[in-house]
């Protein structure tokens, strides 16, 4: 049997999705993460205005939904390709 099962993949650093429940882009990111069995933490910006204010500072102004943090790398409204690329980079072992 070839291939790598999801359980054999190296663990990645934390993934956090900041978004709004009514945002279709946020829903798409969450569906993608679930389909790839990538654990993530969801932060509802409507229910957590302090997180929205912090993101506005990090992103340099207005908060666009979703914002995804992959191991500290911040992606603003990422495409699935950009998200996949960041996840792939986060799974790579760090050279010693």
């Amino acid at each position: 049997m070839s291939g790598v099962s999801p359980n054999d993949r190296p663990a990645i650093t934390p993934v956090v999705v900041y978004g709004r429940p009514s945002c279709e882009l946020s829903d798409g990111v969450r569906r993608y993460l679930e389909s790839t069995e990538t654990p993530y933490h969801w932060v509802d910006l409507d229910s957590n205005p302090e997180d929205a204010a912090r993101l506005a500072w990090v992103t340099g102004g207005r908060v666009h939904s979703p914002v995804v943090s992959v191991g500290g790398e911040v992606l603003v409204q990422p495409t699935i390709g950009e998200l996949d690329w960041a996840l792939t980079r986060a799974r790579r072992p760090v050279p010693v």
Side-chain angles (χ1 to χ4, degrees):
M1 187 174 209
S2 64
V4 176
S5 76
N7 294 333
D8 294 336
R9 282 190 247 162
I12 63 170
T13 53
V15 176
V16 182
V17 179
Y18 300 87
R20 303 186 191 291
S22 60
C23 176
E24 290 182 28
L25 293 175
S26 296
D27 288 342
V29 164
R30 293 175 76 187
R31 282 193 305 270
Y32 175 75
L33 292 172
E34 289 164 6
S35 74
T36 59
E37 299 180 3
T38 302
Y40 68 93
H41 177 71
W42 165 253
V43 177
D44 178 349
L45 293 174
D46 291 339
S47 299
N48 298 289
E50 64 282 354
D51 288 322
R54 187 169 358 119
L55 282 178
W57 183 84
V58 168
T59 61
R62 187 168 176 248
V63 176
H64 298 276
S65 179
V67 174
V68 183
S69 173
V70 179
E73 180 177 357
V74 177
L75 307 169
V76 179
Q77 289 185 323
T79 64
I80 295 303
E82 292 167 337
L83 180 56
D84 188 55
W85 179 78
L87 292 169
T88 300
R89 284 175 33 109
R91 285 188 182 105
R92 284 191 193 145
V94 177
V96 182

